[in-house]
Amino acid sequence: MIIVVTGATGNVGRPLVTALADAGAKVRAVTRHPAAAGLPAQVEVVASTAEALPGASAVFLNSRALIGQLPDMVDLATRSGVAKLVALSALNADDDFSRQPSRFRGDRNKEVEQLAVDSGLAWVSLRPSVFATNFVGMWAGQIRAGDIVTGPYAAASTAPIVENDIAAVAAHALLTDDLVGQKIPLTGPQAFTNTELLAVIAEALHRPLRYQEVPADAVRQRFITIGLPAEFADAYTALLAATVDTPALVTHEVEKILCRPAETFAHWVARHPELFS
């Protein structure tokens, strides 16, 4: 069995490659920078999907890694005799695009799922919630600079999932047929407000961190100043606004599939305090 992993050095791809290799699978890892991939020695690292697909039986599809090539990749996989596609989608894939900020960073969650479903191959779509590492990108700089984190909607709710859990479910989907034909909503085991999430980080760092809500317009301007598109800022604030009065969905699919609890946000932060400090 040869399994192709696109986005192989990303937050999900890297632990997925390791999990598959540890399980004894033959892995072809697709990355734009093969020489610097730093993946397990037994993994075959290639620079293009065309190199990766001959003889492959299953493919992990990361739409951001395949931006501009996604339909061609699925078509080529079908013609190459691939038997199964596992798509990395998102919990909010069915929402209006104006509330999907990741689209403006290159994700095509709806499209990658639909291409897998329509491919005629066995398929699985993974729909994770917000990644735990997203809070590093959003908050770490402010935490290093002081004890106040500013942002929109202190009461906005999320159930962040640790990327290793997404990778473990993806490995199960690629190595078995247990999940074929399913769109699987994956979340962390608990929903938090922004205020509560920062309190978890504060406890791990032993610091008096405080979340300070600021107007959405100020957040929008901050994103634009650091080079993100205005559309990303608008989608991000719209996504959070929709959760102020509605607790985030919490599913238990990780535990059902892996027969172990999903990692908590607190445990993940305690393992990686250096990411914030």
Side-chain angles (χ1 to χ4, degrees):
M1 172 183 285
I2 299 173
I3 298 175
V4 174
V5 178
T6 61
T9 54
N11 289 342
V12 175
R14 187 177 291 277
L16 172 57
V17 167
T18 300
L20 292 170
D22 288 347
K26 183 173 181 180
V27 184
R28 286 192 188 136
V30 184
T31 174
R32 296 183 186 94
H33 307 289
L39 296 169
Q42 69 269 39
V43 172
E44 183 183 355
V45 182
V46 298
S48 72
T49 54
E51 294 176 75
L53 286 173
S57 57
V59 179
F60 178 73
L61 297 171
N62 181 318
S63 65
R64 189 180 299 190
L66 293 167
I67 191 164
Q69 307 173 50
L70 186 56
D72 292 340
M73 169 65 170
V74 173
D75 179 63
L76 184 58
T78 303
R79 290 188 285 109
S80 298
V82 168
K84 184 193 299 178
L85 301 175
V86 175
L88 180 62
S89 184
L91 194 64
N92 65 344
D94 292 328
D95 288 357
D96 189 275
F97 290 164
S98 65
R99 295 196 304 278
Q100 295 191 41
S102 68
R103 288 194 69 82
F104 303 100
R105 303 296 302 278
D107 288 350
R108 292 295 179 267
N109 298 317
K110 184 66 174 178
E111 292 89 335
V112 71
E113 178 176 276
Q114 198 60 51
L115 283 165
V117 171
D118 293 342
S119 67
L121 308 179
W123 62 270
V124 181
S125 180
L126 306 182
R127 290 184 156 202
S129 61
V130 62
F131 293 3
T133 53
N134 285 15
F135 295 95
V136 177
M138 290 189 292
W139 292 352
Q142 294 188 69
I143 290 170
R144 293 185 187 113
D147 289 336
I148 296 176
V149 169
T150 62
Y153 306 114
S157 179
T158 55
I161 184 169
V162 175
E163 285 89 335
N164 281 14
D165 281 344
I166 304 170
V169 173
H172 189 84
L174 289 158
L175 292 168
T176 77
D177 290 332
D178 295 349
L179 308 178
V180 167
Q182 297 184 48
K183 300 176 182 180
I184 304 172
L186 301 172
T187 76
Q190 184 177 354
F192 300 90
T193 66
N194 278 332
T195 298
E196 291 166 342
L197 280 168
L198 188 61
V200 171
I201 298 170
E203 183 174 357
L205 300 183
H206 307 290
R207 286 180 53 189
L209 303 177
R210 180 167 62 88
Y211 192 89
Q212 180 176 305
E213 184 173 312
V214 296
D217 285 348
V219 176
R220 184 179 195 270
Q221 188 54 53
R222 181 196 300 166
F223 279 134
I224 293 170
T225 299
I226 65 174
L228 291 169
E231 294 87 350
F232 173 88
D234 293 339
Y236 172 72
T237 53
L239 174 65
L240 290 190
T243 69
V244 169
D245 298 316
T246 305
L249 173 70
V250 174
T251 73
H252 300 284
E253 300 303 314
V254 171
E255 185 170 1
K256 291 177 189 175
I257 293 165
L258 302 180
C259 300
R260 63 157 176 82
E263 184 171 8
T264 66
F265 185 72
H267 187 265
W268 175 78
V269 175
R271 287 197 300 114
H272 298 289
E274 75 285 352
L275 296 177
F276 295 95
S277 62

